[in-house]
Each structure stands twice: as C-alpha cells, then as structure tokens.
Amino acid sequence: MDAIEMIKERRSVRKFKNERVDRETMREIVDISRWAPSWANYQIARYTLVDDQATIAKLATDGVKGFVYNINTLKNAQGVAVLSFVQGKSGKLDLEKEEYATSKANVWEVFDAGIACQTFCLAAHAKGVGTCIFGVIDDESISEIVGLPDEETVAALIVYGYEDSHPAPTPRKEAEEILRFI
C-alpha cells in the first residue's frame, strides 16, 4: 500500500472483531511510529498499550468523562493505546533553560503528540489494524489507571483492533476550500 492510498483509506474504526491484536504486531506498529518527526528530535511520544479487559473497562467507566460514544466503543475494544508525551522538552532549544524558542511555548508538545498519533494510526492501518482516536478523555484519570510517570501527560486514547467492517469515507472539503496561495 503506498502512502497516498494509506492516507485516503485510513478510517476511524469503532467496531472491531472479537479478536485481540497480538503484542508482536503492536510492537511492530510502535517501532514504525517511533520514526515520527519531533521538535529537535526529542521523541517525546510514549505508547502504553492496554490489552487487559479489566483495565479497558476501567478506562470506559472512568477515563472518557461519561461520553457514551466512547464508552460503547471501549466496550467493543480489544486494545487501547494511551498516547502520552514527556513534558518540558518540545519547543526548547536548550533543555537546561526554562525559555521556549517558539511563541507556542509548551503547546508544541501537543503538536509533536499529534504527529506521533497520526503516524501510529497510519502504521496500524498498514498492518491491518483499525484505530479510532479519542479526544473526549479525562487525562488525570487515565494517567492514574495506567500508572504513567509524573513527567508524562496523556495526549489521546487510541482504540485499536481488527476492523469488523470498513467505514465509508466521510465527505471532504475540496482543496480550493482549504488552500491559499500567496
């Protein structure tokens, strides 16, 4: 599968087969994901993979702020990736100093996490694993449930598994609607 086809064919999948993705496949996906670019190559993205059903159930009850859509997806999930990032690096040219090199300050961490998130989802798609990124989440609760180190912050939950069905593409804006030339 070439890169353009992969970008166009990847979907947010919310219905999965009742089949766990083996840990070696997930290790391969993270191995590919580690090539995502990041500020000054600090590589702040971290992946905590959860395939324990009791922990996934706890994430459903305590980690998604009661958002029913996410709860229902988690009930069907065989795996969840907690994407987190190491705080206090992205946006700095010198880690010894407190000053940021960009007006975005520490917000650049979220940018790096977003690149890592998309890379993870595309790598999963290339390996035949469907994903769905959750944004309605309770960072602190998730961090506690999975035992993240203090220097990490949750960026997103990514539910993963083998697709039960491949969703149809959603409508996209035309390039002319989102493009400017100067």
Side-chain angles (χ1 to χ4, degrees):
M1 170 182 321
D2 75 4
I4 295 170
E5 178 185 356
M6 194 165 43
I7 291 166
K8 289 183 175 182
E9 289 297 318
R10 190 239 160 224
R11 302 280 183 272
S12 291
V13 177
R14 292 176 178 84
K15 294 183 183 191
F16 303 98
K17 293 179 181 176
N18 190 17
E19 179 183 349
R20 190 171 124 177
V21 179
D22 65 276
R23 289 183 171 186
E24 185 54 36
T25 299
M26 295 311 300
R27 188 174 283 108
E28 290 172 14
I29 291 167
V30 171
D31 187 52
I32 294 164
S33 300
R34 70 188 175 88
W35 291 94
S38 62
W39 178 281
N41 196 33
Y42 287 144
Q43 302 175 47
I44 63 166
R46 300 293 182 267
Y47 307 87
T48 302
L49 304 183
V50 181
D51 56 15
D52 174 69
Q53 287 301 309
T55 305
I56 293 171
K58 183 84 169 146
L59 289 168
T61 59
D62 298 349
V64 294
K65 297 185 175 186
F67 188 56
V68 175
Y69 207 42
N70 287 354
I71 292 169
N72 290 338
T73 302
L74 282 165
K75 286 180 182 177
N76 181 25
Q78 295 298 308
V80 179
V82 177
L83 174 64
S84 58
F85 58 86
V86 178
Q87 303 166 40
K89 292 184 176 187
S90 293
K92 293 181 177 180
L93 294 177
D94 184 344
L95 292 178
E96 302 301 317
K97 297 180 180 176
E98 287 300 314
E99 63 195 41
Y100 286 92
T102 170
S103 63
K104 303 283 186 244
N106 67 335
V107 173
W108 203 271
E109 297 166 338
V110 178
F111 188 83
D112 278 353
I115 297 169
C117 189
Q118 177 72 342
T119 303
F120 179 91
C121 291
L122 290 173
H125 181 63
K127 291 288 187 178
V129 176
T131 56
C132 185
I133 304 162
F134 288 179
V136 180
I137 57 174
D138 183 334
D139 306 7
E140 291 179 19
S141 179
I142 293 166
S143 182
E144 186 176 310
I145 291 167
V146 301
L148 286 185
D150 290 341
E151 68 273 5
E152 291 181 33
T153 296
V154 176
L157 288 184
I158 308 168
V159 180
Y160 64 84
Y162 294 112
E163 296 181 12
D164 193 28
S165 62
H166 191 70
T170 54
R172 310 314 287 171
K173 294 180 180 182
E174 294 297 324
E176 292 75 23
E177 293 180 73
I178 61 171
L179 168 70
R180 286 184 203 98
F181 285 108
I182 306 265

